Every structure is written in structure tokens, then in C-alpha cells.
DNA sequence: ACACAGAAGAGAGCAGCGCTCTTGATTTAG
DNA sequence: CTAAATCAAGAGCGCTGCTCTCTTCTGTGT
């Protein structure tokens, strides 16, 4: 039933949200490694074992936070895509990229949670897949719009990768040339390379003007996928 | 003194190495999160407190492993660079990139240690900086050779980034045009975006033929820095 | 050749962790 | 109104990183 009919169901939802909020606060403060169920319980005035009524394990709680983080980032990306929907394709592209970077700088621990090392014995449940794809889909959307409106400069594609590109088109990038689909996936990964390096300190003593550097680099990515 | 003159000093070095080896084995088996000082001690038939004579904390042990991992990866990259020293610049470039990818696939947990989320409070000590730069320097070397031998197609560089590029040239990329230096740093970060996405599972259900895709993408990176 | 400072290991112990199981209270449903 | 489901709490297990103390050993200067 979509309506929570009892006071109990409502309370359950509220407590679940409160747990996730407290956990997210700790996550932002200390990072995923130091997120402790007992500390979350303390903050809520509960006892640690009570949390197990809501999350079967610490990793399950982390998984819930992972999904939320993906959604939060995805929402930021989609908002940026829609905010500049009239602009030139390259500007829309860089707008989304800058939204991703901005979100990452604002939520470094959550970014580390989803794009850093996988935490436990590692398994990404099916639930995360949809949320994890939102940034990529936002980028695909921009490229598709540009393709339909003005055409793209199609990057070269070696013959051995053509089937791969056609599969990508069929599975998640409809109405986009296969050459572009392949380039898009590469640019998508490369975008997070740029963001991750800045966030995790690899750019220390290497890049000073991070913002200008990033804008320049993602403009290059846009050209790489055929945007003009 | 470069020669450890006492038997004691020699024993100390041997035990230190044994600890790191055992720790590395556990790291490869379980990942950094589950690396436990007590388990390392057990494996060596010592008691946990004895390890503190060699490493002042678990994080210090991790730092030692980080440096070793950087050096191991850097050595792989340099070996690849030198193995194909006569080949065309683009092939040398892709050779080094593939060495990086190969090392990462062979040592996923160590890769996660150095390019994944940084650990708790953790500030990268000065000691890591040299080792962390080796891959980048290998790439720079290839581009410099190509520049001196045959010239490069210089990528465009917006005016606001010119000082940045000149600083890069002065600090770690001598004899390379500033345009190329900036493009090089971007390509360096993007390379690890590609590797990280593959390793951390972001390419699941997205890229099938990982090897061909990677080769194609890093060829694109090579073109981006001006190699032909 | 010997005595001694310093180094190394053992052991106990502290506080914290994730997680399980049991117990008693409270709410919901039949 | 009673039976079933739900939930908070408490005790406890085995693990963790780390500290402190005590004992043994050993390399070295006299």
C-alpha cells in the first residue's frame, strides 16, 4: 500500500530517515571509514542494537547512503543540464561537468564513498545502478540534443570497437552515432578522473588554478565527443 | 651509513620487510579496510604490541605500503616506457598507459590504496610525493622526446591558463611547450579516470571489450597532448 | 672480558567496534 | 479483547588499535 496506514509505519519511516541523516552527518564529518553504528545510535539516543531493526548491517546503511549520494549528484547534474538548456552544446556540457565538480567539492566524503575505493567485500547491489547512471545520462542527453539540432563532428572509431559502440547505442544511448557513444563513455570516465584527482590531492603542487584548468579540460572532452 | 654495520640493524630491516610483506598479502587478500595489525602479527608469530617497535601506528604501516605501491606502479610505467623507446611516440604513450592499466588490474587493492579514497585524517607525507610522480614523469618523458625529435601538434591554450602552463614547464616539465604541459596534466588525470572506472566497476554493463576500449581511449589522450 | 644501556618481545588491559540473542514492553490486527 | 507482530533495550562475544609494564637479550665501550 502506498499510504502508510499506521502510526507505526510512519514512525518507522521517520526513524529510518533520522538514522540516515545522522549517518550522513557523521559521514561528512569523519568519512566512511569512521562511520560507526554505535556513534549514530548514541547521537539518536538509541542503543546500537536497535539500529538493526532498520538496517541489517553497517554495510547496508552505507549502501543506502551510497544511493542517496548518487541521487544527490545526479540531481545536481540534471539541474545544471536543464538550467542551460538553450545554450550552445559545449556550454551545456561544461555546465554539467562543473556541476559535478561543484557537488564533489561540496560533499567530498560522499564523493569518496561513491567514486573512491569500494568499501566492504564490495558488491554494488542492483539498486545503485539506476542512481549511478544519472550523470552519464545527463551527458548523453546533451549530446543527443546537439546531434539532433545541429549535427556532431563524429570522432573516428576503430573497426574492432564498432560492435561495442552499437551495443552502447542500443542499450543506453539511443539516437546517437556509435562513434559518439564510445567517445562519450570515455569522456564520462575521464571527467571523474579530473574531479577525483583534484579532490584526492593529486593536483597538489601540480595544478594551481583548479577552476580554469578544469573548465579547459572539460571543454577538451566536449570536443572529443564531437560537440562544437 | 649505507651499510648496516650491526647484526641488530640487519635484523630490524628484515623484520620490517617481513611485516610489510605480510601486510601486503593481507591487503591483496582483503583490502585496506580489513588490514589488521593483529592479524599481521599473528601471521608472523608475533604479538600485536611488538609491531609497534617497527611502525608507530596502523596508518604508518599503510603509508609505507602506499609508498611501495606508488613505486611498484612507477617502476612498471618506466619499464614500459623504456621497453618501447624506439617506437612511435603514440605507441610509447599507449604502452605506458597499458602498463598502468595492467598493474592496476593485477594489484586492485593496492591501486585502490593509492588512487581511491584517502584514509581517515591522513595527510600524504612528503615521502609519497616523489613516488607518486613517477607515472606522470614517464608520460612527460615520452612527450618531451617526441617534441625534440619530431615536434608536436600544440593544442590550444586559453590565455588565462598560460601562466599555469609556464609554471608547470618550470617546475616539472622542462623542454615542453606550456600548451602541451597543461594538456599533459589533464591527460594524466583522465588516464586514471579510465583505469579507476574499469577497476571499481563503473564499466559494468557499460563497456564490454575493456581492452580495446582502453586502447582507443588512451590513443585519444595521446592525440590530445599533441602526439601524432 | 665484562658490565651496562638500549632494543626487542610478551602479556595484560582499556576502550571501542559490529553483531547476536534474549527479554520485556507496546502497538496492531483479527 | 486477545493474539501476533514490532520494537527498544541490555548483556555479551570476539574482534580491533593502542598503551604500559615487565623481562630477556645483545651489541658495544671501557
Amino acid at each position: 500500500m502506498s499510504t502508510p496506514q499506521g502510526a507505526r509505519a510512519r514512525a518507522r519511516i521517520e526513524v529510518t530517515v533520522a538514522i540516515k541523516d545522522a549517518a550522513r552527518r557523521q559521514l561528512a564529518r569523519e568519512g566512511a571509514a569512521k562511520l560507526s553504528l554505535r556513534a549514530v545510535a548514541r547521537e539518536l539516543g538509541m542503543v546500537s542494537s536497535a539500529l538493526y531493526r532498520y538496517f541489517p548491517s553497517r554495510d547496508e546503511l552505507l549502501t543506502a547512503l551510497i544511493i542517496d549520494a548518487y541521487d544527490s549528484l545526479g540531481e545536481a547534474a540534471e539541474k545544471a543540464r536543464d538550467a542551460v538548456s538553450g545554450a550552445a552544446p559545449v556550454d551545456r556540457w561544461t555546465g554539467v561537468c562543473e556541476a559535478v565538480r561543484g557537488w564533489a567539492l561540496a560533499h567530498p566524503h560522499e564523493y569518496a564513498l561513491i567514486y573512491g575505493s569500494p568499501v566492504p567485500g564490495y558488491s554494488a547491489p542492483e539498486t545503485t545502478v539506476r542512481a549511478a547512471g544519472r550523470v552519464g545520462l545527463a551527458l548523453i542527453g546533451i549530446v543527443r540534443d546537439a546531434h539532433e539540432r545541429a549535427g556532431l563532428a563524429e570522432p573516428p572509431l576503430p573497426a574492432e570497437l564498432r560492435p561495442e559502440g552499437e551495443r552502447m547505442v542500443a542499450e543506453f544511448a539511443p539516437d546517437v552515432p556509435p562513434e559518439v557513444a564510445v567517445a562519450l563513455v570515455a569522456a564520462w570516465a575521464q571527467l571523474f578522473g579530473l574531479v577525483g584527482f583534484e579532490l584526492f590531492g593529486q593536483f597538489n603542487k601540480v595544478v594551481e588554478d583548479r577552476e580554469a584548468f578544469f573548465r579547459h579540460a572539460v571543454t577538451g572532452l566536449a570536443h572529443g565527443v564531437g560537440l562544437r
Side-chain angles (χ1 to χ4, degrees), chain A:
Chain A
M1 317 311 160
S2 65
T3 330
Q5 64 274 54
R8 191 162 225 158
R10 194 164 327 152
R12 185 176 179 82
I13 291 176
E14 273 172 24
V15 174
T16 306
V17 169
I19 292 172
K20 284 207 292 185
D21 283 351
R24 200 175 356 258
R25 274 194 297 275
Q26 280 199 22
L27 182 67
R29 213 181 311 130
E30 307 267 16
K34 295 200 170 170
L35 194 158
S36 128
L37 274 187
R38 291 179 115 110
V40 170
R42 264 195 305 272
E43 185 173 328
L44 295 169
M46 302 170 76
V47 91
S48 73
S49 58
L51 291 198
Y52 286 84
R53 302 266 169 204
Y54 298 89
F55 295 93
S57 74
R58 192 194 100 117
D59 286 356
E60 288 288 322
L61 174 55
L62 267 180
T63 299
L65 295 181
I66 286 174
I67 295 174
D68 286 1
Y70 272 127
D71 273 324
S72 170
L73 170 61
E75 197 181 307
E78 287 165 11
K79 205 172 283 181
R81 176 197 59 189
D82 299 336
V84 288
S85 65
V90 174
D91 294 331
R92 296 188 73 193
W93 173 279
T94 57
V96 169
C97 291
E98 276 166 357
V100 170
R101 173 175 177 264
W103 186 93
L105 292 177
H107 308 86
H109 286 117
E110 285 170 83
Y111 182 91
L113 190 62
I114 55 183
Y115 290 107
S117 342
V119 198
Y122 163 78
S123 66
E126 190 63 26
T127 346
T128 65
V129 172
R130 185 203 52 83
R134 288 176 69 171
V135 170
L137 291 180
L139 293 175
I140 290 175
I142 290 174
V143 171
R144 180 170 40 235
D145 284 1
H147 176 57
E148 285 167 359
R149 296 227 280 257
L152 298 167
E154 290 184 6
L157 183 70
E160 61 175 345
L161 274 179
R162 176 152 298 273
E164 190 81 27
E166 283 163 358
R167 191 187 47 73
M168 290 174 180
V169 170
E171 285 184 12
F172 53 82
D175 307 319
V176 159
E179 298 88 346
V180 173
V182 173
L184 204 34
V185 171
W188 170 64
Q190 290 167 7
L191 162 64
F192 286 93
L194 292 165
V195 173
F197 262 35
E198 175 174 354
L199 207 64
F200 296 161
Q202 303 277 357
F203 280 169
N204 286 351
K205 312 210 163 198
V206 176
V207 179
E208 293 293 332
D209 189 347
R210 312 268 163 94
E211 198 167 323
F213 177 81
F214 182 81
R215 188 164 35 237
H216 175 58
V218 297
T219 305
L221 291 181
H223 294 156
V225 301
L227 299 179
R228 301 265 137 250

